[in-house]
Amino acid sequence: MSRLWSPLVRSLIPYVPGEQPAQRDVIKLNTNENPYGPSSKALAAIRAETSDSLRLYPDPDAGVLKAALAECHGIAPAQVFVGNGSDEVLAHVFNGLLQHDEPILFPDITYSFYPVYCALFQIPFETVPLSANFEIDLADYQCANGGIILANPNAPTGRAIAKNAIAQFLLGNTGSVVIIDEAYVAFGAQSATELVDRFDNLLVVRTLSKSHGLAGLRVGYAFGHPVLIEALERVKNSFNSYPLDRLAIAGAVAAIEDREYFEATRRKIITTRKRLTSRLEALDFEVLPSAANFVFTAHRTCAAAVLAKALRDRAILVRHFDQPRTENYLRITVGTNDEVDALGDALTEILA
Ligand SMILES: *Cc1c(COP(=O)(O)O)cnc(C)c1O
């Protein structure tokens, strides 16, 4: 029946998300979910919204959520866009801001959804190799381009670039949009948010999925100049005018307002990242410095594919990207202390 498909669909190679096992008693360190889950205030707000109000469409503009984000980040509501997960926000970004004649640029090793969106929206792109130690060198992006997208911290490496370096780069790149995907910024990198007042071609994309333990609620957002936001609103209102449902809007607002819970859980994750790093280093792993809620690590002698398989046999999931340059690395999510200890024990056994 594929003869009925639109021609473009035949050439699509969709993104493959990390596995979500049906089995419950798995230690899941493969998709960078937050082990602490959402704030109880967010859950209470979602419960309160679970009522007859679901008969009604949500606010198409999610005004209360934009106001909460603007307040939390010290910007204006007109500088805020919201969507159904940052994956959807990114789709609108690729569609609405990155379709130009010149190719867009992103690193050879980064979030693997970017090339998928380029194929879907038929956007030419070029990848820029990370340095030998997996760092982004912004000087490599100082050339004609139709736009640039960088994850900061980068995935799956966990390495971050400094806000000053981004500001410096933006001074020399004024003719195209620069997207900074800050999915993991809560765990130690510097946000570029305060630069959106200075640079009208900067868009910062964020999500509650990892930072606020709400991957299941699907709430993402973007900060930028009102003219960039307007482009995203035009695309969104030509696609789905009600992307965020009532439960998502209520839960997201409460999660953002519960600063105390956010601070406490992100600190715990940063502390456990150190524990995970020392444990791995003691077992002869090289661990890249991480500003995210995962580490990118390679064992000095044992192949990553072998380790991933042996861990899976022990009901521990980690992510292995079987591609040139990353084939020897595992990306391991920072779980709870107990989960990290179980991983350390399993690796000790496997390597013995
Ligand atoms: C997880 C992730 C996203 C998508 O997050 P959602 O908001 O859950 O769609 C976007 N970018 C990067 C780099 C990510 O790792």
Side-chain angles (χ1 to χ4, degrees), residues 85-87 90 111 151 155 181 183-184 207 209-210 218:
S86 61
D87 283 340
L90 288 169
Y111 188 38
D181 179 349
Y184 300 103
T207 171
S209 293
K210 288 103 182 188
R218 313 304 301 128

PDB file of all heavy atoms in Angstrom, residues 85-87 90 111 151 155 181 183-184 207 209-210 218, ligand 1:
ATOM      1  N   GLY A  85       6.138  19.547  23.971  1.00  0.00           N
ATOM      2  CA  GLY A  85       7.498  18.994  24.034  1.00  0.00           C
ATOM      3  C   GLY A  85       8.418  19.858  23.187  1.00  0.00           C
ATOM      4  O   GLY A  85       7.980  20.511  22.234  1.00  0.00           O
ATOM      5  N   SER A  86       9.719  19.880  23.550  1.00  0.00           N
ATOM      6  CA  SER A  86      10.608  20.719  22.729  1.00  0.00           C
ATOM      7  C   SER A  86      10.829  20.088  21.360  1.00  0.00           C
ATOM      8  O   SER A  86      11.202  20.781  20.417  1.00  0.00           O
ATOM      9  CB  SER A  86      11.923  21.025  23.441  1.00  0.00           C
ATOM     10  OG  SER A  86      12.640  19.876  23.727  1.00  0.00           O
ATOM     11  N   ASP A  87      10.550  18.799  21.216  1.00  0.00           N
ATOM     12  CA  ASP A  87      10.628  18.213  19.872  1.00  0.00           C
ATOM     13  C   ASP A  87       9.649  18.921  18.930  1.00  0.00           C
ATOM     14  O   ASP A  87       9.987  19.199  17.778  1.00  0.00           O
ATOM     15  CB  ASP A  87      10.311  16.710  19.915  1.00  0.00           C
ATOM     16  CG  ASP A  87      11.485  15.885  20.435  1.00  0.00           C
ATOM     17  OD1 ASP A  87      12.630  16.380  20.398  1.00  0.00           O
ATOM     18  OD2 ASP A  87      11.257  14.744  20.875  1.00  0.00           O
ATOM     19  N   LEU A  90      10.953  22.382  18.238  1.00  0.00           N
ATOM     20  CA  LEU A  90      12.041  22.297  17.251  1.00  0.00           C
ATOM     21  C   LEU A  90      11.488  22.069  15.844  1.00  0.00           C
ATOM     22  O   LEU A  90      12.003  22.625  14.874  1.00  0.00           O
ATOM     23  CB  LEU A  90      13.017  21.174  17.626  1.00  0.00           C
ATOM     24  CG  LEU A  90      13.912  21.464  18.840  1.00  0.00           C
ATOM     25  CD1 LEU A  90      14.635  20.192  19.300  1.00  0.00           C
ATOM     26  CD2 LEU A  90      14.940  22.546  18.511  1.00  0.00           C
ATOM     27  N   TYR A 111      22.186  15.910  18.812  1.00  0.00           N
ATOM     28  CA  TYR A 111      20.848  15.323  18.912  1.00  0.00           C
ATOM     29  C   TYR A 111      20.425  14.812  17.535  1.00  0.00           C
ATOM     30  O   TYR A 111      20.380  15.584  16.571  1.00  0.00           O
ATOM     31  CB  TYR A 111      19.889  16.397  19.420  1.00  0.00           C
ATOM     32  CG  TYR A 111      18.498  15.924  19.756  1.00  0.00           C
ATOM     33  CD1 TYR A 111      18.268  14.689  20.361  1.00  0.00           C
ATOM     34  CD2 TYR A 111      17.398  16.739  19.503  1.00  0.00           C
ATOM     35  CE1 TYR A 111      16.981  14.287  20.695  1.00  0.00           C
ATOM     36  CE2 TYR A 111      16.113  16.351  19.837  1.00  0.00           C
ATOM     37  CZ  TYR A 111      15.913  15.114  20.425  1.00  0.00           C
ATOM     38  OH  TYR A 111      14.646  14.730  20.756  1.00  0.00           O
ATOM     39  N   ALA A 151      23.115  22.090  20.553  1.00  0.00           N
ATOM     40  CA  ALA A 151      22.597  21.684  21.854  1.00  0.00           C
ATOM     41  C   ALA A 151      23.645  22.077  22.889  1.00  0.00           C
ATOM     42  O   ALA A 151      24.831  21.803  22.714  1.00  0.00           O
ATOM     43  CB  ALA A 151      22.340  20.183  21.884  1.00  0.00           C
ATOM     44  N   ALA A 155      24.326  16.879  23.343  1.00  0.00           N
ATOM     45  CA  ALA A 155      23.962  15.479  23.540  1.00  0.00           C
ATOM     46  C   ALA A 155      24.514  14.703  22.353  1.00  0.00           C
ATOM     47  O   ALA A 155      24.449  15.205  21.230  1.00  0.00           O
ATOM     48  CB  ALA A 155      22.445  15.353  23.571  1.00  0.00           C
ATOM     49  N   ASP A 181      19.731  24.777  21.896  1.00  0.00           N
ATOM     50  CA  ASP A 181      18.811  23.784  22.460  1.00  0.00           C
ATOM     51  C   ASP A 181      19.304  23.445  23.871  1.00  0.00           C
ATOM     52  O   ASP A 181      20.293  22.742  24.048  1.00  0.00           O
ATOM     53  CB  ASP A 181      18.818  22.554  21.550  1.00  0.00           C
ATOM     54  CG  ASP A 181      17.918  21.426  22.041  1.00  0.00           C
ATOM     55  OD1 ASP A 181      17.429  21.483  23.184  1.00  0.00           O
ATOM     56  OD2 ASP A 181      17.711  20.474  21.262  1.00  0.00           O
ATOM     57  N   ALA A 183      18.036  21.653  26.398  1.00  0.00           N
ATOM     58  CA  ALA A 183      17.269  20.579  27.054  1.00  0.00           C
ATOM     59  C   ALA A 183      17.882  20.183  28.408  1.00  0.00           C
ATOM     60  O   ALA A 183      17.168  19.769  29.316  1.00  0.00           O
ATOM     61  CB  ALA A 183      17.178  19.362  26.135  1.00  0.00           C
ATOM     62  N   TYR A 184      19.227  20.318  28.530  1.00  0.00           N
ATOM     63  CA  TYR A 184      19.914  19.836  29.744  1.00  0.00           C
ATOM     64  C   TYR A 184      20.550  20.963  30.551  1.00  0.00           C
ATOM     65  O   TYR A 184      21.390  20.706  31.411  1.00  0.00           O
ATOM     66  CB  TYR A 184      21.009  18.840  29.335  1.00  0.00           C
ATOM     67  CG  TYR A 184      20.462  17.648  28.604  1.00  0.00           C
ATOM     68  CD1 TYR A 184      20.579  17.533  27.220  1.00  0.00           C
ATOM     69  CD2 TYR A 184      19.794  16.642  29.298  1.00  0.00           C
ATOM     70  CE1 TYR A 184      20.055  16.447  26.538  1.00  0.00           C
ATOM     71  CE2 TYR A 184      19.272  15.542  28.632  1.00  0.00           C
ATOM     72  CZ  TYR A 184      19.406  15.464  27.258  1.00  0.00           C
ATOM     73  OH  TYR A 184      18.881  14.387  26.603  1.00  0.00           O
ATOM     74  N   THR A 207      12.933  22.660  27.738  1.00  0.00           N
ATOM     75  CA  THR A 207      11.898  21.657  27.980  1.00  0.00           C
ATOM     76  C   THR A 207      11.795  21.346  29.471  1.00  0.00           C
ATOM     77  O   THR A 207      12.787  21.468  30.190  1.00  0.00           O
ATOM     78  CB  THR A 207      12.221  20.365  27.200  1.00  0.00           C
ATOM     79  OG1 THR A 207      11.319  19.332  27.616  1.00  0.00           O
ATOM     80  CG2 THR A 207      13.643  19.869  27.439  1.00  0.00           C
ATOM     81  N   SER A 209      11.013  18.319  30.289  1.00  0.00           N
ATOM     82  CA  SER A 209      11.125  16.855  30.305  1.00  0.00           C
ATOM     83  C   SER A 209      12.193  16.357  31.261  1.00  0.00           C
ATOM     84  O   SER A 209      11.950  15.479  32.082  1.00  0.00           O
ATOM     85  CB  SER A 209      11.422  16.328  28.905  1.00  0.00           C
ATOM     86  OG  SER A 209      10.321  16.555  28.059  1.00  0.00           O
ATOM     87  N   LYS A 210      13.393  16.901  31.149  1.00  0.00           N
ATOM     88  CA  LYS A 210      14.497  16.400  31.966  1.00  0.00           C
ATOM     89  C   LYS A 210      14.631  17.194  33.262  1.00  0.00           C
ATOM     90  O   LYS A 210      14.788  16.626  34.330  1.00  0.00           O
ATOM     91  CB  LYS A 210      15.802  16.442  31.177  1.00  0.00           C
ATOM     92  CG  LYS A 210      15.877  15.379  30.075  1.00  0.00           C
ATOM     93  CD  LYS A 210      15.630  15.912  28.706  1.00  0.00           C
ATOM     94  CE  LYS A 210      15.668  14.805  27.653  1.00  0.00           C
ATOM     95  NZ  LYS A 210      15.608  15.370  26.301  1.00  0.00           N
ATOM     96  N   ARG A 218       4.922  16.396  28.188  1.00  0.00           N
ATOM     97  CA  ARG A 218       5.223  16.999  26.881  1.00  0.00           C
ATOM     98  C   ARG A 218       5.070  18.518  26.896  1.00  0.00           C
ATOM     99  O   ARG A 218       4.110  19.065  26.327  1.00  0.00           O
ATOM    100  CB  ARG A 218       4.364  16.374  25.752  1.00  0.00           C
ATOM    101  CG  ARG A 218       4.291  14.863  25.726  1.00  0.00           C
ATOM    102  CD  ARG A 218       5.654  14.178  25.654  1.00  0.00           C
ATOM    103  NE  ARG A 218       6.417  14.551  24.477  1.00  0.00           N
ATOM    104  CZ  ARG A 218       7.673  14.990  24.523  1.00  0.00           C
ATOM    105  NH1 ARG A 218       8.311  15.092  25.672  1.00  0.00           N
ATOM    106  NH2 ARG A 218       8.302  15.298  23.420  1.00  0.00           N
TER     107      ARG A 218
HETATM  108  C1  LIG B   1      15.337  15.250  25.132  1.00  0.00           C
HETATM  109  C2  LIG B   1      15.791  16.286  24.141  1.00  0.00           C
HETATM  110  C3  LIG B   1      14.881  17.071  23.454  1.00  0.00           C
HETATM  111  C4  LIG B   1      13.401  16.806  23.445  1.00  0.00           C
HETATM  112  O1  LIG B   1      12.770  16.978  24.596  1.00  0.00           O
HETATM  113  P1  LIG B   1      11.192  16.943  24.704  1.00  0.00           P
HETATM  114  O2  LIG B   1      10.856  18.257  25.276  1.00  0.00           O
HETATM  115  O3  LIG B   1      10.902  15.808  25.627  1.00  0.00           O
HETATM  116  O4  LIG B   1      10.591  16.741  23.348  1.00  0.00           O
HETATM  117  C5  LIG B   1      15.360  18.099  22.651  1.00  0.00           C
HETATM  118  N1  LIG B   1      16.669  18.294  22.498  1.00  0.00           N
HETATM  119  C6  LIG B   1      17.578  17.531  23.105  1.00  0.00           C
HETATM  120  C7  LIG B   1      19.017  17.808  22.891  1.00  0.00           C
HETATM  121  C8  LIG B   1      17.166  16.497  23.936  1.00  0.00           C
HETATM  122  O5  LIG B   1      18.054  15.695  24.494  1.00  0.00           O
END
